Amino acid sequence: MMQLFRPLDMLGWVYRTIRQGLIDMAEMFRLMDTAMEVTDVPGAPALLIHRPMLTFDNVEFGYERDRQILHGLSFEVPAGGHVALVGPSGAGKSTIGRLLFRFYDPWQGRILIDGQDIAQVQQESLRAHIGIVPQDSVLFNDTIGYNIGYGREGAGDAEIIQAARDAAIWPFIKSLPQQLETEVGERGLKLSGGEKQRVAIARTLLKNPPILLLDEATSALDTRTEQDILGTLKRVSEGRTTISIAHRLSTIADSDLIYVIQDGRICEQGTHGRLLRHDGLYAEMWTRQLNEEAELPEAAE
Ligand code: ATP
């Protein structure tokens, strides 16, 4: 299953990257090759988690040798803590997520989960402990039940329905004539951005990982749907160690700790209130977003 999961996850990431217009096809194949080169050290043990705390310890990284992206990045996320990464576009936030999932290895420094270096444990066990809810969820051309059940091999309908309930998508599925057997994707029922994201949340709930990586939606959703989904995500992340990669600061203002990343370095950290009082980059971004939102007509529904 995980052998399957990895390329599919990779494809999901590549798909999102293309949708964001960041790379062309030739570049995509080069990136896939690079990411597939990360291998287990011989005899690597499985990751064993008692307390899912995360540590980035002096991490240096770049995709190309002549262009460093992360510069000696160090930060911690306590077990069960909710941390947000914010900062200007291109600062390195998504890169941090990719390193945590070990699509790449750092040039230097270490990433630890519960004291274990992720480069030294089985990738399969690492990825089994991390759930990702991405900006744009990719669905397979299969049934909605399959798309949720994919979160955990062997999950039965009762568990799939429970996950759908917790992700607040069950009432929608139940209203469809074929319920879990409804075909979705290109040849089947087209789901809205919000519905797709709820399917991704249900899939993650079924996986039940102790660590969550939330890559915030930037566009796709209207304001009300976004608020609903945020409420669901908040419930889902309770008791799990959570990193939110955020573009809209209003969505992460209640995080335990916010790290502001600029040019691959942490330039500020603190709670929302403390960062506003500090009156630095975060406060500037916050004011700018408030002004932008005030100027926008109510988001198109
Ligand atoms: P955004 O808020 O716009 O999503 P970000 O902070 O998440 O930005 P990253 O996606 O981590 O930024 O990108 C950091 C830098 O790394 C950018 O300059 C980007 O161009 C570069 N980069 C990202 N992915 C790759 C890649 N696969 N190959 C080469 N460079 C990359």
Side-chain angles (χ1 to χ4, degrees):
M1 172 69 182
M2 289 306 291
Q3 270 90 347
L4 178 71
F5 172 70
R6 173 135 197 254
L8 286 175
D9 234 26
M10 187 69 204
L11 277 177
W13 169 71
V14 167
Y15 168 78
R16 289 191 298 283
T17 311
I18 293 173
R19 279 197 44 160
Q20 289 160 13
L22 293 181
I23 51 172
D24 62 24
M25 292 300 276
E27 176 72 352
M28 174 184 102
F29 287 116
R30 196 187 61 72
L31 284 176
M32 282 187 78
D33 282 349
T34 314
M36 292 300 178
E37 275 166 21
V38 173
T39 50
D40 281 351
V41 293
L47 175 68
L48 289 177
I49 300 189
H50 300 292
R51 291 181 52 74
M53 69 169 292
L54 313 181
T55 310
F56 274 63
D57 177 18
N58 217 5
V59 170
E60 315 254 342
F61 175 74
Y63 295 91
E64 284 128 16
R65 273 286 144 198
D66 56 356
R67 186 163 172 245
Q68 188 163 349
I69 303 291
L70 301 180
H71 301 266
L73 195 83
S74 295
F75 69 91
E76 287 195 351
V77 187
H82 292 181
V83 157
L85 305 178
V86 305
S89 181
K93 306 178 296 291
S94 301
T95 302
I96 293 170
R98 285 174 209 139
L99 290 177
L100 178 64
F101 214 61
R102 207 174 162 222
F103 281 147
Y104 302 91
D105 282 326
W107 291 352
Q108 279 193 44
R110 296 178 311 160
I111 301 167
L112 308 169
I113 298 183
D114 199 4
Q116 297 148 81
D117 185 338
I118 65 168
Q120 304 298 323
V121 300
Q122 286 167 16
Q123 293 172 66
E124 191 177 315
S125 68
L126 168 69
R127 300 200 176 102
H129 286 95
I130 305 175
I132 300 185
V133 181
Q135 311 187 356
D136 281 306
S137 304
V138 182
L139 295 190
F140 307 109
N141 290 318
D142 206 305
T143 64
I144 202 161
Y146 174 86
N147 271 283
I148 295 175
Y150 168 73
R152 199 179 71 235
E153 195 175 16
D157 277 4
E159 292 165 291
I160 292 175
I161 290 171
Q162 188 55 48
R165 275 210 173 93
D166 293 342
I169 182 93
W170 179 241
F172 167 76
I173 298 173
K174 204 169 160 228
S175 73
L176 302 168
Q178 290 182 282
Q179 303 202 341
L180 287 177
E181 296 307 315
T182 309
E183 293 282 332
V184 295
E186 272 164 33
R187 290 187 298 278
L189 182 70
K190 306 273 185 299
L191 300 186
S192 72
E195 287 155 0
K196 275 199 265 185
Q197 210 167 11
R198 287 190 185 283
V199 169
I201 294 171
R203 192 186 279 171
T204 304
L205 278 170
L206 209 51
K207 187 173 173 184
N208 196 20
I211 299 165
L212 270 186
L213 185 61
L214 309 179
D215 201 346
E216 182 201 74
T218 43
S219 48
L221 309 178
D222 65 71
T223 318
R224 192 175 332 121
T225 309
E226 185 184 34
Q227 287 307 321
D228 286 352
I229 299 248
L230 280 172
T232 307
L233 284 175
K234 204 154 274 175
R235 260 190 296 115
V236 165
S237 58
E238 262 165 36
R240 300 178 207 264
T241 306
T242 305
I243 297 187
S244 300
I245 298 174
H247 297 91
R248 301 258 298 275
L249 302 186
S250 54
T251 61
I252 51 86
D254 62 351
S255 301
D256 300 333
L257 192 57
I258 300 166
Y259 290 108
V260 186
I261 317 281
Q262 188 175 31
D263 296 332
R265 297 178 173 85
I266 293 174
C267 63
E268 293 169 18
Q269 67 186 70
T271 58
H272 172 73
R274 215 179 117 189
L275 286 168
L276 284 187
R277 284 194 296 280
H278 176 68
D279 203 18
L281 178 60
Y282 182 88
E284 188 189 313
M285 289 167 61
W286 177 257
T287 309
R288 190 168 352 112
Q289 288 197 1
L290 282 186
N291 289 339
E292 278 167 12
E293 275 163 31
E295 279 166 23
L296 278 179
E298 184 50 23
E301 307 235 343

